Each structure stands twice: as structure tokens, then as C-alpha cells.
């Protein structure tokens, strides 16, 4: 489940759950209390993926990056686009997260797509089935819906409170799985 690639090994913090069938490949860092659920693929082969604390990536989600470019001397000439996901993020089932930045306390709904160089800022929701196109930037507290995704309105305080609650629910679910199944990623 943890696969080294080009001398890069995934770095997994304490108390992380990686479900059976998930693949975490190459330059991937996952911080404390996060969870990667069944049959997800996190492929940090040509750039890095960084996931914060208490973040959950639900079943069948794919996370990838845009490649770096090197000159003939092996020096980076284009840093490409890594994927950076903050703390307390919930990524629903069957999403595609590609070479983008997702800040803190964000919910990405099921079957959503977030493309290269996109930014989803703090305390935001991307609705189920939405497609955030390349380079699109959304401010904090955004409700983002549609294909292509658009800003609909600012989130209400109770919606923002739910974002943290959702992430903490998945910390509890993760703890139940760790207790029942043990740390199966090592």
C-alpha cells in the first residue's frame, strides 16, 4: 500500500489510517489523525502531495500532481503543480483532486473534480459533482457548485461549523477502524 518511487517514500505521521486497497505512492506526506479510505490512489510520482491533520480522503478518490520539469543538469526549471490539502478537510467518495491547493476546513462533495492550479480557500464547500476548472480561485467561505464550478454565495456560520464537525467525525471513524483492524498501512 505504501510504495516508494525514485527514492521517495511516503511519510506517514502518527495515528494515520490507510485502508486496505489504498495506494500511497512516492513523495506523499500525511499528517496526524488523517485517514485514507478504501481503494484511494495518492500518486506523488512526479511532484509531491501534502495532506494536513485530521483530513479524510474517502473511498475511490484519486489524488495526483502536475510534473516538475528539469534541465539536462537535473535542476528544476518548472516546479509544476503539487497537491496541497490542509487540516480538517473532508474529501468525499470518488473525487479527482489534481495538482491543486485545498486549504483548511473544506468539504469536497462526492464525485467532485478539482483541477490543476485551482485554489479552494479556507472554510469552503465544493458541492457533489462539481468541476473546478484549471486555475480557478475561490475565496474563503465559498459555496462552490456546478460544472464548471462557480461561486454561489458565502457560507453561513452554521455551515462553517459543520466543516470542522465533519472532519472530527472521520477522526472518530478512523479511530474505530484502527482499534478494530490495527495499523494496517505499515
Amino acid at each position: 500500500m505504501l510504495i516508494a518511487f525514485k527514492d521517495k517514500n511516503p511519510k506517514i505521521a502518527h495515528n494515520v489510517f490507510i485502508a486496505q486497497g489504498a495506494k500511497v505512492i512516492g513523495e506523499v506526506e500525511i499528517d496526524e489523525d488523517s485517514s485514507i479510505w478504501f481503494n484511494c490512489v495518492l500518486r506523488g510520482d512526479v511532484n509531491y502531495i501534502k495532506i494536513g491533520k485530521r483530513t479524510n480522503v474517502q473511498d475511490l478518490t484519486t489524488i495526483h500532481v502536475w510534473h516538475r520539469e528539469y534541465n539536462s543538469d537535473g535542476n528544476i526549471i518548472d516546479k509544476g503543480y503539487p497537491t496541497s490539502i490542509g487540516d480538517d478537510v473532508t474529501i468525499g467518495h470518488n473525487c479527482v483532486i489534481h495538482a491543486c491547493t485545498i486549504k483548511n476546513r473544506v468539504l469536497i462533495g462526492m464525485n467532485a473534480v478539482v483541477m490543476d492550479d485551482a485554489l479552494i480557500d479556507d472554510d469552503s464547500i465544493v458541492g457533489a459533482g462539481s468541476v473546478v476548472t484549471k486555475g480557478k480561485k475561490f475565496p474563503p467561505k465559498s459555496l462552490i457548485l456546478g460544472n464548471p464550478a462557480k461561486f454561489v454565495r458565502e457560507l453561513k456560520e452554521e455551515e462553517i461549523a459543520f466543516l470542522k464537525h465533519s472532519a472530527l467525525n472521520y477522526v472518530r471513524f478512523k479511530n474505530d477502524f484502527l482499534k478494530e483492524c490495527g495499523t494496517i498501512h505499515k
Side-chain angles (χ1 to χ4, degrees):
M1 286 182 283
L2 299 180
I3 302 168
F5 185 78
K6 291 190 176 180
D7 297 323
K8 301 285 185 181
N9 288 298
K11 295 179 183 172
I12 311 302
H14 175 70
N15 215 23
V16 168
F17 175 70
I18 299 176
Q20 193 166 21
K23 305 287 189 268
V24 180
I25 304 156
E27 197 173 355
V28 178
E29 187 176 327
I30 304 172
D31 213 336
E32 293 179 14
D33 271 333
S34 290
S35 54
I36 310 301
W37 293 87
F38 299 94
N39 298 315
C40 289
V41 176
L42 283 63
R43 186 159 54 99
D45 54 350
V46 293
N47 215 323
Y48 69 86
I49 297 169
K50 184 170 181 172
I51 295 175
K53 296 176 181 167
R54 298 172 305 280
T55 288
N56 62 90
V57 179
Q58 296 173 22
D59 312 60
L60 300 170
T61 288
T62 299
I63 301 176
H64 194 230
V65 295
W66 183 257
H67 67 279
R68 298 175 182 115
E69 291 190 33
Y70 298 86
N71 65 16
S72 59
D73 296 327
N75 297 316
I76 295 175
I77 57 172
D78 182 346
K79 65 179 182 164
Y81 298 110
T83 295
S84 178
I85 300 170
D87 298 336
D88 302 302
V89 173
T90 295
I91 298 177
H93 309 286
N94 208 38
C95 292
V96 175
I97 308 298
H98 198 273
C100 59
T101 301
I102 298 170
K103 295 281 187 119
N104 302 305
R105 297 170 309 280
V106 171
L107 185 146
I108 308 292
M110 294 181 286
N111 289 306
V113 176
V114 183
M115 295 297 294
D116 304 13
D117 194 33
L119 168 67
I120 311 299
D121 215 326
D122 292 340
D123 301 308
S124 294
I125 295 174
V126 176
S130 295
V131 177
V132 177
T133 54
K134 183 177 180 175
K136 195 78 174 159
K137 313 285 189 229
F138 291 96
K141 301 180 182 180
S142 292
L143 177 60
I144 303 160
L145 301 174
N147 181 3
K150 298 192 180 335
F151 174 86
V152 174
R153 64 172 169 80
E154 190 170 291
L155 291 182
K156 299 172 186 165
E157 288 306 313
E158 59 270 15
E159 292 169 317
I160 292 169
F162 171 77
L163 298 172
K164 180 83 172 188
H165 180 74
S166 175
L168 291 177
N169 276 340
Y170 265 86
V171 170
R172 285 190 287 278
F173 301 154
K174 175 229 16 132
N175 288 339
D176 289 344
F177 270 82
L178 283 174
K179 191 183 302 178
E180 193 75 20
C181 305
T183 306
I184 62 174
H185 71 272
K186 299 218 177 190

